[in-house]
Amino acid sequence: MRLAPVSFIKIVSVILSASLLSACGFHLRGDYSIPEELGTLSLTSYDQYSTFTRMMKSQLRVNEVNVVPPSEDVPNLHIVGEGLRERNLSLYQNTTAAEKELTFTATYRVTIPDVGDKTFSTSVSRSYLENPLTALAKSVERDMIEDEMRQFATDQIIRQMARLRSDIKAGHVLTQEELNSFDEQVNGNSQEIESTE
């Protein structure tokens, strides 16, 4: 009796694992469910050519959002502004900065026709070591950290947009009290369903 090749067994086990994971509703990290009403939207920005705007447009496409030109009857994501702040966390003995913290902040507004608009902000912080003897390498490292922070901010924006489902269902932008009430109602319904099973 001949044994099956090892590569065949690996392929079968990968396919079996993938089918089991997809059957239980598992989603890969980064797979956020944007409401269907935001499946097509326009993207505007204070600076259409900024790195962050380009990254945001790319992130929307990755999440299967159809980006179209602005129109009155199409939801809009408007990047209001972005900023980068730095502060010293520690110093060398000669009082030059040894460790710095960078904070990237982005503010944006989502406008949904017949519902309203809501303004959000998101921020990402990273720290890195500053070494005056390797200034060029540290400059390249800092650029990479800034791009990583921008990319992480686009992920956060996608997650925050997924929270607009309750506003869309209500037909208007919910106040904080209405949002809390909506969350309690949803949690109550899910507990009732669990108790009947």
Side-chain angles (χ1 to χ4, degrees), residues 8-22:
F8 177 73
I9 293 172
K10 286 181 182 178
I11 291 171
V12 169
S13 63
V14 167
I15 292 172
L16 182 62
S17 298
S19 63
L20 287 173
L21 286 175
S22 63

Side-chain angles (χ1 to χ4, degrees), residues 173-188:
V173 176
L174 298 174
T175 64
Q176 190 59 46
E177 288 177 6
E178 289 175 320
L179 191 57
N180 292 340
S181 171
F182 182 82
D183 287 341
E184 289 171 9
Q185 185 180 21
V186 168
N187 291 336

Side-chain angles (χ1 to χ4, degrees), residues 140-154:
V140 172
E141 180 186 1
R142 180 180 168 132
D143 291 343
M144 290 172 59
I145 290 171
E146 288 177 14
D147 283 345
E148 177 186 300
M149 291 165 62
R150 287 184 183 99
Q151 188 62 50
F152 194 75
T154 63

